[in-house]
Amino acid sequence: MSALFEPLTLRSLTFPNRVWMAPMCQYSAASSGPGTGVATDWHFAHYAARAIGGTGLILTEATAVSPEGRISPSDLGIWNDTQVAALRRITDFLKSQGTVPGIQIAHAGRKASTAAPWTGGAPLGPEEGGWQPLGPSPVPFDERHPVPTELSANQIQRIVGQFADAARRALDAGFEVAEVHGAHGYLIGEFLSPHSNHRTDGYGGSFDNRVRFALEVVDAMRAVWPRDKPLFFRISATDWLDGDGWTGDDTVRFAALLKEHGVDLLDVSTGGNAAGVRIPVGPGYQVPFAARVRSATGLPVAAVGLITEAGQAGKILANGEADAVLLGRELLRDPSWAHRAARELGGDVRVPQQYHRSV
């Protein structure tokens, strides 16, 4: 049997297989009123379909710790109890299908307050329902984005507390895994990279200072997240820049620190913090970054990035390059990818009784 369909245990939680769903924003929550940031029927149907399809872990899209932490006005949030109740409906169903529910907890930083991609994705001003973005330094993402407000030390600590509060609510909502979003040029990733972090205080300059905010968030979440449940961290392993960016070497060094601070798995992606860079995209193009972290630190990793075929995914695990694979667009195209892969590779994936006639 392919390693794709072997269970994986982290802390006391066992994942039924290693076909996992990567976080992908749906931009489908209400953007104003009492339903702001609340999961809708779209979210339920979207996640439920992938659970029925046999996915072992489903990580929700980036779920904001505060209104100003949303990427767009239509993002999910987890800063109030109304949002918790709607998410619990989803986690209850995922568990009923044998799927582990996980949540990616996020703050968009300087890339906040933008329109949904299908309406252009442009930054939104206050007159359009937007707000002033925040960041480690007054450095905009690109020429279209506004200059973010530089966070004070007190504001940084407030956001650390918001991540801890979000973790408490995530537990109340029934999630079994919490993932810190430190990738793709959002707030935590902005602090990590010298490309976006130009601070001269204890949160900028040296490597140790630039990782300080991320580790404070991890510590705050780990303090409230149960010891028997795993905590993940998503990283952009490189900015794909020559000179002033975050690098693969930085990622390996940081991964060792995350392991010491109680992170159980590194979700390894790349890019997103610098505009206009050329990324050598191809099948499995990010897998070597995950493999290097796993080899150098012993920290479990999940690989993501143009993993589309069952044989390709199985080979990544068989070669010891990752402990699990995260599928994004491929699961949008085929919610039952895990069932198809199991047929191809001879694995065993739970099929609901209502769908047994399809086996």
Side-chain angles (χ1 to χ4, degrees), residues 55 105 255 326:
T55 307
I105 299 177
L326 282 156

Side-chain angles (χ1 to χ4, degrees), residues 2-353:
S2 169
L4 269 180
F5 303 104
E6 294 176 358
L8 174 67
T9 299
L10 297 173
R11 297 196 181 240
S12 67
L13 180 64
T14 298
F15 302 86
N17 61 56
R18 303 173 191 227
V19 179
W20 295 356
M21 180 174 172
M24 290 175 284
C25 289
Q26 297 297 293
Y27 307 101
S28 296
S31 59
S32 61
T36 300
V38 175
T40 64
D41 286 348
W42 174 266
H43 296 97
F44 181 89
H46 170 65
Y47 293 118
R50 279 78 196 167
I52 289 170
T55 307
L57 164 70
I58 290 176
L59 286 166
T60 65
E61 62 210 75
T63 306
V65 300
S66 65
E68 62 273 16
R70 293 171 293 168
I71 302 167
S72 85
S74 299
D75 280 15
L76 288 184
I78 192 162
W79 64 81
N80 65 45
D81 292 340
T82 302
Q83 295 160 345
V84 168
L87 290 168
R88 190 181 300 116
R89 177 188 175 215
I90 294 172
T91 62
D92 285 348
F93 185 81
L94 267 54
K95 291 175 185 177
S96 77
Q97 301 305 305
T99 295
V100 175
I103 182 171
Q104 185 182 72
I105 299 177
H107 191 298
R110 67 177 182 167
K111 294 174 76 174
S113 188
T114 61
W118 51 81
T119 60
L124 298 174
E127 70 282 357
E128 302 168 291
W131 56 92
Q132 172 61 27
L134 306 170
S137 302
V139 180
F141 174 66
D142 62 18
E143 65 280 357
R144 294 195 311 165
H145 284 71
V147 175
T149 298
E150 179 173 298
L151 289 163
S152 68
N154 287 339
Q155 288 174 311
I156 291 170
Q157 289 308 303
R158 179 171 177 265
I159 293 173
V160 170
Q162 289 172 342
F163 272 91
D165 290 342
R168 291 189 190 95
R169 289 194 174 95
L171 186 64
D172 290 343
F175 288 100
E176 299 290 334
V177 172
E179 176 173 272
V180 182
H181 196 354
H184 302 155
Y186 298 119
L187 185 62
I188 292 176
E190 292 164 19
F191 270 88
L192 294 177
S193 174
H195 178 73
S196 45
N197 183 348
H198 298 179
R199 299 177 73 96
T200 58
D201 63 0
Y203 290 97
S206 69
F207 173 89
D208 288 340
N209 284 354
R210 286 184 283 110
V211 304
R212 188 182 309 278
F213 173 56
L215 293 178
E216 287 179 351
V217 167
V218 167
D219 289 346
M221 289 179 61
R222 187 75 267 181
V224 300
W225 194 244
R227 291 178 60 86
D228 62 341
K229 295 184 186 297
L231 180 67
F232 292 4
F233 192 103
R234 186 166 230 198
I235 188 79
S236 281
T238 177
D239 285 339
W240 298 107
L241 291 169
D242 292 326
D244 74 336
W246 182 263
T247 69
D249 289 342
D250 293 328
T251 295
V252 170
R253 184 178 175 188
F254 183 49
L257 291 173
L258 290 173
K259 185 178 180 182
E260 292 176 4
H261 285 254
V263 167
D264 300 289
L265 180 139
L266 192 66
D267 171 356
V268 185
S269 187
T270 65
N273 192 45
V277 298
R278 297 187 64 181
I279 299 176
V281 175
Y285 70 105
Q286 296 173 150
V287 173
F289 294 98
R292 184 181 173 197
V293 168
R294 190 175 190 266
S295 174
T297 68
L299 180 67
V301 299
V304 65
L306 281 182
I307 299 169
T308 59
E309 300 300 326
Q312 173 197 17
K315 186 176 180 181
I316 290 167
L317 300 186
N319 290 346
E321 296 173 289
D323 299 274
V325 294
L326 282 156
L327 306 181
R329 291 172 177 85
E330 193 61 23
L331 273 175
L332 296 183
R333 289 185 283 265
D334 183 2
S336 295
W337 190 94
H339 289 158
R340 177 169 62 80
R343 288 194 296 271
E344 289 184 21
L345 302 178
D348 184 22
V349 174
R350 181 184 183 276
V351 178
Q353 293 178 0

